[in-house]
Amino acid sequence: MSNQALTLQNSVASAISNPGALGTIESYISAVNRIPMLTPEREQQLGETLQEKGDLNAARELIMSHLRLVVSISRQYLGYGLPHADLIQEGNIGLMKAVKRFDVTRGVRLVSFAVHWIKAEIHEYIIRNWRLVKVATTKAQRKLFFNLRSMRPDGQTLTPEHIEGIASKLNVRPEDVSEMEVRLTGRDMSLESQDDDSDDFAPISYLSDEGEQEPGTVLDRRAHDDMQGTGVSNALAVLDPRSRRIIEARWLQDEGGGSTLHELADEFGVSAERIRQIESAALKKMRGAFAA
C-alpha cells in the first residue's frame, strides 16, 4: 500500500465513529471513495490473517476498503429525515460487526456478507430515533415500516384494494397494514405549548387526570391501604383468640356498629370492665406489631 493511501486510511479511521470529523460529510464521502478497493486475492489473504491470528491491522484494512459500501447503503434511508452522518456512523458499526464474523472459508466475498449487518444497524437506528414513540417493535411491523412507504401510491390514501395487495405481498394481515399507515402518516405532538404566551389549547390541558393526586399522596394512600390490609392481619395474628375476637367484634365490623362492652361481657361471662381491660391490652399489643 502506498504512503498516500496509508495516510488517507489513517485520517478516515479516526472519523469512522464521527463522519463529520473530516469537516463535512461530503469530505468524508470523498475520502472513503478514494480508498483503494481490495482484490479478491488480497481480501482472502486479509481474512485468513484475521481468522488465524486476530490481526487488527487486517481487520482495519478490510473495514476501510468497504466504507464506500456503507455510504452507498445509507443513501437509501435518507427519506426518513435523519442525519446522513448518523446513518453512516451506524452503518459503520454494522460493517465492523460483519468483519468480526467474516469467514473466508465459506467462499463468499465480504461485500455480500456485510450488506446484512450494515442494513441491520441502520434499521435499528431508524426505529430508535425516527419518532419519540417506537412505531415498529415486532418483525412484521419492521417489515411494514421499511417497505410500506415505497409501496404506497404517492400522496394518496391507501384504498382497501391497496391494503389487501400490500398485505398479500408482505405476508402480513391487512389490519397491520392499516395500523402502520396511520403511524407513518401521523406526527409527534408536543404535550405543552411551544409558546409561553400562546393561548393554544395544548394537550397537557385536557390529558391530565383531574381525579388523580400528586405522586407523594398516591404513595401515602397506598401505604395506608396496605396497612389496613396486610398490616391489620399481621397485628391480629399476635393476639390470643379471645382478644382477637373482642377487637374484631368492637372495631372491624363491615356493616353496622361494633359490639358493646356489655354484649361481649355476656358472651365471655365476665364483667364489662374486664372486656375493656382486654381490649386496651390488645390494642397496645397491636400498636407494637404495627411499629415492628
Side-chain angles (χ1 to χ4, degrees):
M1 184 182 299
S2 67
N3 290 336
Q4 183 179 4
L6 185 59
T7 300
L8 181 61
Q9 279 202 11
N10 288 335
S11 63
V12 173
S14 64
I16 286 182
S17 60
N18 180 16
L22 288 180
T24 64
I25 189 63
E26 289 76 17
S27 299
Y28 173 85
I29 293 173
S30 175
V32 300
N33 284 335
R34 295 200 307 272
I35 296 176
M37 297 180 67
L38 298 177
T39 63
E41 294 76 19
R42 179 58 177 167
E43 182 179 300
Q44 178 79 15
Q45 179 187 3
L46 291 170
E48 291 174 352
T49 302
L50 177 60
Q51 271 189 305
E52 296 170 3
K53 303 179 181 179
D55 191 333
L56 295 182
N57 287 325
R60 179 177 181 275
E61 191 170 342
L62 286 169
I63 291 170
M64 292 296 162
S65 62
H66 288 80
L67 291 176
R68 66 178 68 203
L69 174 64
V70 175
V71 171
S72 176
I73 293 175
S74 67
R75 287 197 179 102
Q76 302 171 21
Y77 299 93
L78 291 176
Y80 292 97
L82 296 171
H84 194 189
D86 291 348
L87 294 172
I88 292 174
Q89 178 179 329
E90 297 299 320
N92 287 345
I93 294 174
L95 174 61
M96 287 185 276
K97 289 183 177 180
V99 168
K100 182 178 180 180
R101 294 166 174 79
F102 183 47
D103 185 355
V104 293
T105 62
R106 295 184 178 181
V108 178
R109 291 295 301 271
L110 177 57
V111 63
S112 301
F113 181 70
V115 167
H116 163 76
W117 290 96
I118 295 169
K119 286 187 175 182
E121 289 298 320
I122 293 177
H123 285 186
E124 284 295 325
Y125 170 74
I126 293 174
I127 292 296
R128 291 195 310 267
N129 295 277
W130 190 62
R131 286 281 173 84
L132 291 175
V133 179
K134 287 188 177 181
V135 295
T137 55
T138 67
K139 186 176 181 180
Q141 288 173 340
R142 288 169 184 256
K143 182 191 295 186
L144 277 170
F145 181 83
F146 288 106
N147 289 278
L148 184 57
R149 176 172 293 185
S150 61
M151 298 178 71
R152 59 194 295 269
D154 292 337
Q156 299 180 29
T157 302
L158 291 180
T159 64
E161 292 75 19
H162 286 140
I163 292 175
E164 289 290 343
I166 293 173
S168 178
K169 288 181 181 179
L170 297 180
N171 194 28
V172 297
R173 301 178 304 169
E175 50 266 40
D176 292 334
V177 177
S178 299
E179 180 183 355
M180 185 57 67
E181 167 71 0
V182 172
R183 293 186 178 193
L184 288 175
T185 55
R187 63 184 180 88
D188 294 329
M189 179 181 294
S190 174
L191 285 176
E192 298 180 344
S193 173
Q194 301 302 304
D195 184 357
D196 292 338
D197 298 326
S198 175
D199 292 328
D200 291 344
F201 193 58
I204 194 65
S205 301
Y206 56 84
L207 290 179
S208 60
D209 184 356
E210 299 296 338
E212 191 56 276
Q213 298 173 326
E214 59 93 19
T217 304
V218 173
L219 293 175
D220 287 342
R221 186 176 66 247
R222 288 179 181 174
H224 176 70
D225 293 342
D226 290 341
M227 183 65 73
Q228 287 187 324
T230 306
V232 170
S233 297
N234 292 338
L236 286 172
V238 304
L239 302 178
D240 61 81
R242 184 174 64 172
S243 297
R244 178 167 183 162
R245 164 64 185 148
I246 292 173
I247 293 298
E248 288 177 339
R250 290 277 288 159
W251 301 102
L252 301 178
Q253 297 303 303
D254 292 334
E255 297 181 1
S259 301
T260 66
L261 293 175
H262 291 285
E263 289 172 342
L264 290 170
D266 291 340
E267 178 180 336
F268 288 103
V270 296
S271 66
E273 176 60 21
R274 179 58 182 152
I275 295 297
R276 188 194 65 76
Q277 292 172 354
I278 295 172
E279 177 189 47
S280 178
L283 290 174
K284 183 178 180 180
K285 200 170 186 179
M286 289 179 68
R287 282 195 291 269
F290 279 128

